[in-house]
Amino acid sequence: MSVQVGDDYLIRAIRSDEWATVRALRLEALRDPIARLAFLETYEQTVGRPDVFWQERAAQSAEGASGARQFVAVAPDGVWAGTLTVLMEEAGTTDWAGDAVDRLQGHVVGVFVRPQHRGRGLVESLFAVGVDWAWERGAERVRLFVHEDNERARGAYRKAGFVPSGVTTEMAEGEGRELELVVERGRG
């Protein structure tokens, strides 16, 4: 699945052989000034991971994978301008915070657009493709978590149709809360 955004960008799933580019974009995301609010890992924790980690990560979310899909916005010059990953969560399992999952749902993670490509509608386009992929897999809703202090991301997610569910998750001592935002099937 691929979607053209205007005349400039192509949104598509990654391929498993693109693991080195997956790694480079993730490391750049972890250097973003608000990365401490946006991601559950740091650059320092991630930079030393071996190639096999990145190869497996790419294979598990590449085109053809069923449990997760990583999408990228590719600029006309071939640069990956942004990314978003959707993980499918099955009813009866537990999520990243150890809470029970009560329905089949998509869980958006790893949202990042390079600064020089922001303001061009890429977040909305990435979300449209990612959410559609989750609907195709039978998801009843798609959710994400955003740090309460990450205003930039909260604004972008609202533009993409996500609304607060009322669920919050406490982070480690002194690190604040993560807010769950959702799009219900048929509303986004």
Side-chain angles (χ1 to χ4, degrees), residues 9-14 18-32 35 39 41-43 46-47 54 57-58 70-75 78-85 109-118 122 126:
Y9 296 90
L10 178 70
I11 308 287
R12 66 167 177 82
I14 66 163
E18 296 175 312
W19 64 269
T21 311
V22 167
R23 178 185 186 274
L25 188 58
R26 180 62 174 187
L27 292 175
E28 182 174 338
L30 291 172
R31 288 188 197 119
D32 189 273
F39 304 109
E41 63 186 354
T42 66
Y43 177 86
T46 309
V47 70
W54 298 102
R57 184 174 181 151
Q70 182 175 355
F71 296 96
V72 290
V74 183
V79 168
W80 286 8
T83 186
L84 166 149
T85 300
V109 298
V111 179
F112 176 70
V113 173
R114 288 186 157 130
Q116 63 271 33
H117 296 277
R118 292 179 186 155
L122 293 181
L126 284 161

Side-chain angles (χ1 to χ4, degrees), residues 17 19 31 40 46 59 61-62 72 76 82-83 92 96 98 100 114 123 128 158 164 167 173-175:
D17 65 348
W19 64 269
R31 288 188 197 119
L40 297 177
T46 309
S61 62
V72 290
T83 186
W96 65 277
R114 288 186 157 130
V123 169
R158 279 192 300 271
V167 172
E173 184 67 33
E175 293 184 18

